[in-house]
């Protein structure tokens, strides 16, 4: 991979299709639930019965505006829908209602986290489009079965500029989109369930050149892994052609995971004349300032804001900051948690090591942690004051606190024998008798076998009735050994 | 049997019912008899005999019990076979929809029946409302009710005939380019096309979405207004319905003579395409208005020659799109001879659609296809805008525009089947109102030497139906 990067720049643009979790469909009243028995979420409108008309679902427009605002896009004052025509058995009207000429928003940035930094990926626009139904080819040997539950489902199509430079950036960009729609609560963006799909436009240009190369489009990628592999495969295919002095032919392809190849989609299916024209059943609609403001007020704190808070205000390292920004629920919880009083960095560490996995196990019921605030704060103080060791506290006391709702922390620490005795005098006499018992090993240590410190520590721990603080014990041991 | 034709208006029928001079059952029976007696004209494709009688008996009971019967009680209507009526077949007079039953009612039908009206049956029309003679129908042509062998006009030809022959009091048709007004003129009745968006299109099988409007055919202005009041108004199932409500205070008793200006296009008669009797009767009527004190201005309308091409490019484009849904997959005609999906589409559509519909789908597909879109569709959109603006300018200084409804009277069935372009051109005076979304009405004007009816058309600014109806009354009464 090194070699081609010296010769070519990789240029990638994305079209990300997000299926929205709205209560009803884009232009029809029936339920938009994700899963239901085939052909149960249908209506005269989505089956395109004669005499039916589409009516824009207002919550669809609200969701669209919110995503546009979240990405800093410019919401257009006036926009309209277009019809995109093609015949397919799962497309009831013979056209999809989409936005071709006047999408509802333009510009903006997807803030992606790449290498612990925020990098903006510029958006061309986002547009609204309804989905088609599903053709099922593999359930019946003689027939194609049709399920119209998905017909009319509201989609948002997020179209970036050719701003991405590597498969890793593509992956990070999809992450950022998933994260954003999840923050806004407009889609689960689950790729496995087809809630988010992605088309990648891939081209190469001579290093440093301003002129874009001919692009090839890989359609309908349904996982980030596939997206990465499809791009890598496509890069190698294009390099082979370019290195041999050939020209890239614009093409639409689909990625075949089994063979790890991008297979061209036959011309017949791609050279479509979609015959776009403005949808006459839906009048031009105007998005008022009030509507925009109402939706702006409904926005939660966004990922970049939380990232900044964690990274700058709490001075956490970027990887941790990214991790905590993962979901709105977690970011909200963690930003409260880090303000509990004890050192935020210490809190962040115990969160990553113990509390987060425990919460994951408990289905992210953050209340369970919040109600233990006094105990956890107390725990932090014990560690800070050196009354218990950080490591044994983390391994034994903190889990015990999480599991025992109402326990007294001091009591727990005592029961677990974790309280460090402050009496270094008794520790010194223990060490003294230990060294007296192993004179040969003491000699060997003093002769240079410093590794024996582990042996002495182990013996000391075994002999001591009270739990000595290992750090203190080790320093006293080293001091006495070197005498 | 009661002589139903003696009752000339809803008011008369309601009064007779109230006084107990007749029962609703008798009224419906009388209409059913007339439907039977005029079956040869091929107007009705479905008659809801038992249902209508049942509804009539229920209404009689309500009247006997002194219950409120709804504002349109006593009204019996036919509806064009492109308007959905829940639980009933609707086929758009097409082979494509022969076994199709609509699970819902058009908003207009729901409001009509909700107000106490009875739907007696569904009437023939041109397939998917495409035609000007009611000849392009799966059910065969409908005859002009008073002139056997002549067309009734179209596409709502049978709607006009059903009123002409007193088989119902009013009929709901649809008007995309004159389909209510032209047959009304050919059949000597009144046809109103309201403003675009006045009546919900929900449940109207689409021909060209930005032109289609449900229209009303009847024998007098008050009946049309009574029906319009009930079926018009915003509908959440149709985003294009207007939010400008009718004034609701009724039709003004008179239009002030002073200051009322009527425009007519002098160049409409230049080409000589207008039948002499129509031209003369039209000019006479305008003169009468002029003498009565109304100001009549004969002005040039510079875009006259663009009206028909613009109309046909845009309606065919929209039609090609609207009719994509008839693919033989979910409902409607499906070929028995398909090997694969493409063949299923090709054969189902070739077998299901008639010649005129196929012609318009192909032309519409052509004008939208890449490479031709700009030259045809987009140019036509721009010309439409220009026509709208020009008409608006005229209506800024004039209350009404008057034109003959048609350049000629009804022709013989079959006479023009081979010459679609001459039929398209005969729509010149009616398509204007649909291009501009303004209301228009055709009222009877006279008869030619063969006794064939023709009409005069009046248009006004968008959402001014009450004023338009008031002036129409004057236009009728002043002769």
């Amino acid at each position: 991979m090194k070699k081609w990067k010296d010769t070519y720049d990789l240029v990638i643009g994305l079209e990300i299709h997000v299926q929205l979790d709205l209560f009803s469909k884009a232009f029809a009243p029936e339920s938009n639930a994700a899963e239901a028995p085939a052909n149960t979420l249908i209506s005269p409108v989505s089956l395109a019965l004669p005499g039916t008309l589409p009516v824009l679902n207002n919550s669809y427009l609200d969701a669209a505006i919110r995503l546009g605002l979240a990405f800093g896009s410019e919401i257009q004052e006036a926009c309209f829908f277009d019809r995109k025509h093609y015949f397919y058995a799962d497309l009831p009207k013979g056209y999809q209602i989409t936005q071709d000429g006047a999408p509802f928003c333009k510009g903006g940035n997807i803030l992606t986290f790449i290498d612990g930094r925020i990098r903006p990926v510029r958006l061309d626009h986002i547009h609204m489009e309804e989905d088609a139904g599903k053709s099922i080819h593999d359930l019946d040997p003689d027939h194609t079965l049709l399920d119209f539950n998905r017909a009319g489902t509201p989609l948002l199509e997020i179209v970036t500029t050719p701003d991405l430079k590597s498969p890793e950036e593509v992956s990070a960009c999809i992450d950022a989109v998933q994260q954003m729609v999840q923050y806004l609560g407009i889609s689960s963006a689950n790729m496995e369930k087809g809630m988010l799909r992605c088309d990648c436009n891939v081209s190469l240009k001579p290093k440093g050149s301003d002129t874009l190369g001919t692009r090839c489009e890989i359609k309908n990628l349904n996982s980030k892994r596939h997206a990465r592999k499809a791009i890598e495969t496509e890069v190698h295919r294009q390099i082979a052609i370019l290195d041999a002095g050939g020209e890239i032919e614009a093409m639409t392809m689909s990625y075949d995971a089994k063979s790890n190849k991008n297979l061209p989609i036959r011309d017949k299916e791609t050279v479509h004349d979609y015959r776009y024209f403005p949808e006459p059943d839906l009048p031009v609609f105007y998005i008022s300032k009030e509507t925009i403001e109402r939706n702006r007020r409904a926005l939660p704190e966004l990922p970049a804001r939380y990232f900044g808070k964690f990274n700058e205000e709490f001075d956490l390292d970027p990887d941790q900051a990214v991790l905590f920004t993962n979901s709105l629920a977690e970011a909200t919880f963690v930003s409260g948690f880090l303000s509990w009083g004890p050192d935020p960095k210490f809190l962040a560490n115990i969160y990553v090591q113990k509390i987060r996995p425990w919460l994951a196990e408990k289905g992210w019921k953050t209340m369970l942690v919040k109600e233990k605030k006094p105990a956890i704060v107390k725990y932090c103080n014990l560690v800070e004051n050196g009354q218990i060791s950080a490591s044994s506290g983390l391994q034994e006391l903190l889990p015990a606190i999480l599991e025992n709702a109402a326990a007294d922390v001091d009591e727990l620490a005592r029961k677990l024998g974790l309280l460090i005795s402050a009496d270094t005098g008794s520790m010194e006499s223990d060490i003294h008798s230990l060294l007296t018992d192993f004179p040969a090993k003491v000699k060997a240590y003093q002769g240079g076998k410093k590794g024996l410190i582990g042996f002495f520590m182990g013996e000391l721990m075994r002999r001591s009735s009270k739990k000595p603080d290992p750090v203190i014990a080790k320093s006293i041991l080293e001091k006495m050994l070197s005498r | 049997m009661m002589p139903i034709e003696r009752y000339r208006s809803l008011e008369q029928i309601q009064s007779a019912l109230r006084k107990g001079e007749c029962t609703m059952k008798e009224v419906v029976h009388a209409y059913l008899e007339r439907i039977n007696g005029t079956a040869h004209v091929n107007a009705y494709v479905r008659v809801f005999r038992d249902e209508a009688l049942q509804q009539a008996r229920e209404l009689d009971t309500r009247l006997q019990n002194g219950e409120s019967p709804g504002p349109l009680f006593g009204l019996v209507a036919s509806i064009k076979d492109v308007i959905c009526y829940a639980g009933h077949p609707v086929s758009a007079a097409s082979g494509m929809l022969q076994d199709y039953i609509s699970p819902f009612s058009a908003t207009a039908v729901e409001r009509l029946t909700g107000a106490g009206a009875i739907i007696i049956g569904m009437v023939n029309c041109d397939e998917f409302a495409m035609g000007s003679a009611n000849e392009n129908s799966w059910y065969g042509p409908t005859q002009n009710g008073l002139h056997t062998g002549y067309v009734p006009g179209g596409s709502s030809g049978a709607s006009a005939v059903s009123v002409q022959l007193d088989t119902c009091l009013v009929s709901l048709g649809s008007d995309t380019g004159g389909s209510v007004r032209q047959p009304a003129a050919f059949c000597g009745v009144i046809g109103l096309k309201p403003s675009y968006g006045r009546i919900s299109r929900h449940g109207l099988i689409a021909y060209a979405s930005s032109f289609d409007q449900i229209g009303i055919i009847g024998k007098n202005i008050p009946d049309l207004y009574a029906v319009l009041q009930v079926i018009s108004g915003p509908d959440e199932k149709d985003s294009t319905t207007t939010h400008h409500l009718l004034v609701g205070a009724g039709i003004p008793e008179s239009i002030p003579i002073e200051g009322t200006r009527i425009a007519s296009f002098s160049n409409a008669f230049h080409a000589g395409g207008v039948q002499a009797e129509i031209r003369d009767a039209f000019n006479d009527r305008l003169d009468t208005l002029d003498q009565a004190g109304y100001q009549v201005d004969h002005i040039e309308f510079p875009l006259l020659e663009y009206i028909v091409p613009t109309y046909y490019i845009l309606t065919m484009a929209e039609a090609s799109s609207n009719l994509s849904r008839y693919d033989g997959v979910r409902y409607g005609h499906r070929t028995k001879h398909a090997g694969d999906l493409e063949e299923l589409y090709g054969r189902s559509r070739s077998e299901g659609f008639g010649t005129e519909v196929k012609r318009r789908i192909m032309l519409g597909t052509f004008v939208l296809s890449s490479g031709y879109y700009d030259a045809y569709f987009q140019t036509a959109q721009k010309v439409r805008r220009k026509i709208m603006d020009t008409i608006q300018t005229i209506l800024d200084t004039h209350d009404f525009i008057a034109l003959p409804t048609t350049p000629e009277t009804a022709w013989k069935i079959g006479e023009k089947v081979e010459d679609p372009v001459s039929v398209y051109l005969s729509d010149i005076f009616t398509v204007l109102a649909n291009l501009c979304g303004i209301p228009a009405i055709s009222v009877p004007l006279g008869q030619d030497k063969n006794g064939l009816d023709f009409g005069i058309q009046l248009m006004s600014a968008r959402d001014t139906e009450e004023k338009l109806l008031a002036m129409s009354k004057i236009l009728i009464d002043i002769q």
Side-chain angles (χ1 to χ4, degrees):
Chain A
M1 293 289 269
K2 264 252 153 77
K3 217 174 114 198
W4 68 263
K5 284 186 180 167
D6 298 333
T7 325
Y8 300 107
D9 284 332
L10 173 56
V11 179
I12 308 164
L14 299 180
E15 282 173 43
I16 301 170
H17 314 236
V18 181
Q19 194 177 316
L20 302 182
D21 295 327
L22 300 180
F23 185 72
S24 55
K25 290 186 177 178
F27 305 104
E30 74 268 24
S31 165
N32 182 46
E35 276 160 73
N39 295 311
T40 55
L41 308 178
I42 51 174
S43 73
V45 177
S46 48
L47 287 182
L49 297 190
T52 52
L53 298 167
V55 175
L56 175 62
N57 172 358
N58 279 327
S59 61
Y60 180 23
L61 183 59
D62 283 341
I65 292 171
R66 279 176 208 183
L67 187 64
L69 291 173
F71 284 142
S73 310
E74 201 181 306
I75 308 297
Q76 304 299 297
E77 222 172 288
C79 41
F80 57 82
F81 290 98
D82 294 282
R83 291 183 179 180
K84 174 183 178 179
H85 300 83
Y86 61 92
F87 279 107
Y88 204 67
D90 57 24
L91 184 69
K93 293 189 290 295
Y95 56 83
Q96 260 175 309
I97 302 178
T98 181
Q99 293 188 308
D100 181 52
F104 75 93
C105 86
K106 286 179 186 164
N109 291 293
I110 303 173
L111 300 180
T112 57
F113 296 116
I114 293 171
D115 300 330
R117 288 183 48 215
I118 292 183
R119 187 166 102 60
V121 173
R122 285 171 299 161
L123 278 176
D124 183 82
H125 73 270
I126 309 175
H127 68 259
M128 304 164 84
E129 180 172 298
E130 60 172 345
D131 211 341
K134 265 186 205 156
S135 295
I136 301 153
H137 301 291
D138 53 4
L139 275 183
D140 182 314
D142 301 321
H143 297 90
T144 293
L145 305 181
L146 295 168
D147 178 3
F148 290 102
N149 283 355
R150 203 181 65 185
T153 291
L155 302 177
L156 289 177
E157 301 224 355
I158 301 158
V159 182
T160 75
T161 60
D163 231 8
L164 297 146
K165 299 180 185 71
S166 70
E168 291 71 32
E169 290 191 0
V170 166
S171 192
C173 184
I174 297 173
D175 278 339
V177 169
Q178 277 180 313
Q179 184 183 42
M180 188 61 91
V181 296
Q182 288 163 356
Y183 261 63
L184 299 178
I186 58 177
S187 174
S188 70
N190 186 327
M191 288 189 91
E192 269 168 38
K193 289 186 178 159
M195 300 287 285
L196 186 145
R197 311 190 288 270
C198 174
D199 304 339
C200 297
N201 288 295
V202 181
S203 68
L204 291 172
K205 62 181 173 66
K207 195 150 189 75
S209 161
D210 288 336
T211 317
L212 292 174
T214 305
R215 68 196 168 116
C216 290
E217 183 179 18
I218 312 162
K219 275 209 160 315
N220 251 327
L221 293 159
N222 58 7
S223 80
K224 278 168 263 187
R225 202 171 65 89
H226 285 179
R228 283 195 302 271
K229 296 196 118 185
I231 293 166
E232 281 162 14
T233 307
E234 178 56 14
V235 167
H236 290 297
R237 188 188 72 87
Q238 293 192 13
I239 288 170
I241 294 171
L242 293 172
D243 282 353
E247 271 182 26
I248 305 295
E249 199 185 323
M251 219 190 305
T252 305
M253 298 180 289
S254 75
Y255 177 69
D256 178 51
K258 265 189 201 150
S259 62
N260 190 29
K261 273 186 181 156
N262 296 312
L263 307 173
I265 300 173
R266 268 174 291 124
D267 270 358
K268 208 172 166 188
E269 293 163 39
T270 55
V271 184
H272 261 310
D273 181 355
Y274 289 121
R275 287 176 282 120
Y276 286 103
F277 82 96
E279 162 61 285
D281 286 331
L282 293 165
V284 172
F285 61 103
Y286 299 90
I287 303 175
S288 68
K289 286 209 170 63
E290 291 72 43
T291 304
I292 294 175
E293 285 317 308
R294 178 173 51 77
N295 281 296
R296 200 191 297 282
R297 284 194 298 276
L299 291 182
E301 293 265 356
L302 299 178
R305 181 82 186 260
Y306 276 116
F307 175 84
K309 200 168 180 181
F310 296 141
N311 186 213
E312 284 155 31
E313 198 175 311
F314 293 117
D315 198 24
L316 305 182
D317 68 64
D319 286 343
Q320 264 188 351
V322 168
L323 179 73
F324 296 164
T325 313
N326 191 40
S327 75
L328 178 61
E330 185 168 10
T332 313
F333 169 71
V334 173
S335 90
F337 175 74
L338 296 181
S339 315
W340 278 6
D343 175 28
K345 283 190 169 179
F346 180 77
L347 282 170
N349 282 330
I350 65 167
Y351 175 74
V352 173
Q353 298 200 43
K354 278 289 172 252
I355 299 177
R356 192 171 194 271
W358 185 81
L359 264 179
E361 219 172 85
K362 302 286 173 193
W364 293 101
K365 292 191 185 108
T366 53
M367 250 335 276
L368 294 176
V369 178
K370 284 183 196 156
E371 67 196 11
K372 297 183 181 82
K373 178 175 174 181
I376 292 170
V377 170
K378 171 88 188 176
Y379 163 82
C380 293
N381 292 338
L382 285 178
V383 174
E384 202 178 356
N385 298 339
Q387 285 164 281
I388 56 169
S389 90
S391 62
S392 56
L394 192 66
Q395 293 317 318
E396 297 175 53
L397 184 53
L398 188 56
I401 290 172
L402 291 173
E403 291 304 335
N404 297 284
D408 176 84
V409 178
D410 288 319
E411 183 71 28
L412 263 180
R414 198 166 304 123
K415 263 195 205 156
L416 290 166
L418 295 175
L419 283 176
I420 291 163
S421 143
D423 181 2
T424 47
S426 84
M427 203 188 298
E428 272 175 38
S429 79
D430 282 351
I431 293 171
H432 186 76
S433 74
L434 173 73
L435 299 186
T436 319
D437 290 351
F438 297 99
K441 290 210 155 56
V442 173
K443 263 218 156 79
Y445 177 88
Q446 286 165 343
K449 282 199 164 181
K450 300 289 179 203
L452 281 168
I453 188 79
F455 163 80
F456 289 116
M457 278 299 287
E459 272 300 307
L460 181 67
M461 291 294 172
R462 199 172 56 76
R463 288 172 175 215
S464 311
S465 52
K466 284 179 186 172
K467 209 84 181 176
D469 182 301
V471 181
I472 299 169
K474 195 177 166 213
S475 78
I476 296 174
L477 187 61
E478 279 170 341
K479 232 182 270 167
M480 290 175 71
L481 272 168
S482 54
R483 273 181 202 153
Chain B
M1 189 50 57
M2 70 179 289
I4 189 68
E5 61 278 11
R6 217 187 283 154
Y7 296 95
R8 307 299 299 169
S9 71
L10 180 60
E11 199 188 350
Q12 286 175 8
I13 293 177
Q14 289 187 340
S15 152
L17 287 168
R18 280 225 159 92
K19 288 181 191 149
E21 290 170 17
C22 64
T23 65
M24 193 63 207
K25 197 179 146 200
E26 286 171 332
V27 171
V28 169
H29 252 299
Y31 283 130
L32 287 168
E33 280 305 308
R34 287 203 57 89
I35 291 172
N36 267 338
T38 57
H40 65 281
V41 300
N42 194 30
Y44 281 79
V45 296
R46 257 155 254 127
V47 180
F48 309 134
R49 183 187 170 84
D50 297 342
E51 217 178 317
L53 285 171
Q54 175 60 31
Q55 287 163 1
R57 277 191 292 271
E58 285 166 16
L59 181 71
D60 285 330
T61 312
R62 274 212 298 278
L63 286 169
Q64 272 166 19
N65 297 344
E67 293 168 39
S68 162
L72 293 184
F73 83 96
L75 186 130
V76 173
S78 70
I79 58 176
K80 186 178 179 179
D81 190 24
V82 289
I83 298 174
C84 297
Y85 187 17
H88 298 79
V90 58
S91 74
S94 178
M96 183 54 90
L97 289 175
Q98 275 316 294
D99 300 316
Y100 180 75
I101 293 172
S102 181
F104 64 91
S105 282
T107 300
V109 168
E110 221 158 66
R111 290 179 181 176
L112 199 64
T113 52
I118 291 174
I119 291 169
I120 200 160
M122 291 172 88
V123 288
N124 204 2
C125 57
D126 285 299
E127 185 179 2
F128 285 100
M130 297 177 190
S132 306
N134 211 136
E135 293 178 287
N136 310 322
S137 167
W138 169 262
Y139 305 103
T142 294
Q143 306 266 348
N144 190 307
L146 296 180
H147 303 278
T148 308
Y150 282 85
V151 301
S155 64
S156 312
S159 281
V161 171
S162 71
V163 174
Q164 180 190 31
L165 294 179
D166 292 309
T167 65
C168 56
L169 193 66
V170 298
S171 183
L172 294 192
S174 68
D175 190 317
T176 306
S179 283
V180 154
R181 289 159 286 155
Q182 183 252 26
F186 281 9
C187 294
V189 292
I190 306 172
L192 170 70
K193 181 207 89 79
S195 308
Y196 181 75
R198 173 61 76 199
I199 300 170
S200 169
R201 292 183 294 118
H202 169 69
L204 169 65
I205 296 182
Y207 159 20
S209 310
S210 72
F211 295 80
D212 291 345
Q213 181 58 203
I214 285 179
I216 310 161
I217 294 175
K219 287 206 156 164
N220 61 69
I221 300 292
D223 286 358
L224 296 190
Y225 184 62
V227 172
L228 182 69
Q229 271 190 309
V230 166
I231 68 176
S232 64
D235 179 14
E236 59 178 23
K237 290 177 179 150
D238 175 4
S239 315
T240 62
T241 44
T242 173
H243 289 269
H244 296 276
L245 299 176
L246 291 173
V247 179
I251 313 167
E253 273 306 307
S254 67
I255 294 279
I257 292 175
E258 198 68 30
T260 295
R261 296 177 69 180
I262 300 162
S264 176
F265 303 153
S266 49
N267 54 330
F269 304 93
H270 287 174
V274 181
Q275 209 172 307
E277 294 136 306
I278 297 179
R279 183 195 60 209
D280 296 344
F282 177 80
N283 286 333
D284 283 353
R285 189 65 57 93
L286 290 194
D287 285 347
T288 314
L289 285 174
D290 195 43
Q291 281 150 26
Y294 294 97
Q295 184 177 333
V296 179
D297 296 331
H298 296 273
I299 60 172
E300 288 271 322
F301 180 64
L303 300 167
L304 202 64
E305 62 185 302
Y306 298 105
I307 291 178
V308 170
T310 304
Y311 168 80
Y312 274 98
I313 287 170
L314 295 177
T315 53
M316 287 177 184
E318 290 185 14
S320 74
S321 172
N322 283 333
L323 270 61
S324 307
R325 66 186 59 195
Y326 307 108
D327 57 5
V329 173
R330 298 166 318 288
Y331 54 81
H333 176 72
R334 181 189 288 188
T335 185
K336 291 187 172 62
H337 320 281
D340 58 22
L341 188 60
E342 199 158 320
E343 224 178 350
L344 176 86
Y345 293 140
R347 287 183 185 248
S348 299
R349 287 165 68 82
S350 297
E351 293 164 9
F353 290 135
T355 308
E356 183 59 27
V357 170
K358 284 185 220 171
R359 177 155 42 224
R360 296 194 193 193
I361 289 174
M362 286 189 279
L363 283 168
T365 304
F366 171 76
V367 300
L368 284 175
S369 53
S370 82
Y372 299 97
Y373 181 89
D374 292 352
Y376 290 98
F377 184 79
Q378 204 168 42
T379 306
Q381 288 271 62
K382 288 178 187 164
V383 177
R384 183 183 195 183
R385 169 53 60 191
K386 211 171 162 62
I387 292 171
M388 285 172 113
D389 291 346
T390 310
I391 290 296
Q392 187 52 54
T393 311
I394 295 170
L395 288 173
D396 284 344
T397 49
H398 293 82
D399 300 277
F400 305 101
I401 296 171
L403 282 174
T405 309
T406 60
E408 53 188 354
T409 51
W411 51 90
K412 286 194 174 126
I413 291 174
E415 193 182 330
K416 295 192 179 184
V417 169
E418 299 303 321
D419 192 6
V421 174
S422 84
V423 178
Y424 296 168
L425 288 171
S426 71
D427 291 339
I428 182 159
F429 298 140
T430 46
V431 297
L432 183 62
N434 304 78
L435 277 165
C436 301
I438 57 176
I441 189 168
S442 172
V443 300
L445 178 62
Q447 290 167 343
D448 69 6
K449 58 181 184 298
N450 298 320
L452 293 162
D453 292 289
F454 54 84
I456 179 170
Q457 187 190 202
L458 213 52
M459 291 168 261
S460 63
R462 211 162 168 151
D463 302 323
T464 60
E465 280 85 350
E466 278 139 331
K467 198 170 101 178
L468 181 71
L469 290 169
M471 191 66 214
S472 306
K473 251 174 101 178
I474 293 165
L475 200 60
I476 295 167
D477 296 340
I478 204 164
Q479 56 181 303

